[in-house]
Amino acid sequence: MTAEPTAPTASPSTTVSADPEAAVKATALAVYQEYWREMQAFYADRDGTTAGLKQYAASEALSVARNAGERAHARGRIYIGSVTVSQSRVTATDLDRQVPNVTLSSCLDVSRWQPVVADTRKPVALPANRLTKYLIATTLEKWPQGWRVVRDEPQGKKC
């Protein structure tokens, strides 16, 4: 994946003193990058046996990813290439809940992520007017095992 780095460049002590939630925000952004690395691996694996996705996704996000991946794999398709996640920023935090959460806004570029026929690697035809670079809203929750993407919702807008 050619994801752009999203970790803050300021030193931890500077960032934490300016924003007490900085470590949580940085972790959420890093988990989201890893989530998309695992999504690429899952969709590229014809058998859909890549287990790493569960380390970064849960709930609705995991269910949607598995269902879409299984549909593609059942049709003999895999996805090759890369997804680029950029312009990620934290838009909200709610850390005082029983299950703390963070909301992100990102630009997802899937223009280099191509569905192909698994056996032949022949590209699958896609609509010419499909959105390939779009805004996506993401919710992560802090589960006992760590932060997980629980919702990843395309916004239908170019970025």
Side-chain angles (χ1 to χ4, degrees):
M1 179 169 149
T2 58
E4 296 177 10
T6 57
T9 55
S11 69
S13 60
T14 304
T15 305
V16 172
S17 65
D19 183 357
E21 298 174 348
V24 168
K25 291 176 179 181
T27 298
L29 291 166
V31 166
Y32 192 59
Q33 291 289 333
E34 292 301 317
Y35 164 79
W36 273 102
R37 281 184 182 82
E38 289 300 325
M39 287 283 280
Q40 285 180 169
F42 175 70
Y43 278 85
D45 177 10
R46 184 176 184 169
D47 298 323
T49 57
T50 305
L53 193 55
K54 285 177 66 174
Q55 292 179 310
Y56 302 100
S59 192
E60 179 184 323
L62 183 58
S63 178
V64 168
R66 281 185 172 162
N67 290 338
E70 287 170 4
R71 279 192 310 275
H73 297 143
R75 287 185 251 161
R77 297 178 179 170
I78 60 171
Y79 283 68
I80 60 172
S82 62
V83 174
T84 302
V85 179
S86 64
Q87 302 172 26
S88 294
R89 64 185 176 86
V90 174
T91 58
T93 60
D94 191 352
L95 305 179
D96 296 326
R97 297 179 39 175
Q98 183 176 358
V99 179
N101 70 50
V102 172
T103 304
L104 306 178
S105 175
S106 301
C107 180
L108 197 65
D109 182 349
V110 297
S111 62
R112 290 187 221 124
W113 200 36
Q114 176 70 42
V116 297
V117 177
D119 292 337
T120 64
R121 301 285 176 148
K122 180 180 177 186
V124 173
L126 296 171
N129 63 346
R130 77 182 181 110
L131 212 56
T132 60
K133 193 172 183 181
Y134 53 90
L135 289 174
I136 192 158
T138 306
T139 303
L140 294 93
E141 291 181 345
K142 183 151 188 345
W143 289 37
Q145 306 83 2
W147 286 94
R148 301 291 189 266
V149 174
V150 294
R151 263 183 306 290
D152 208 23
E153 302 169 313
Q155 300 299 294
K157 299 177 186 175
K158 288 183 180 183
C159 53

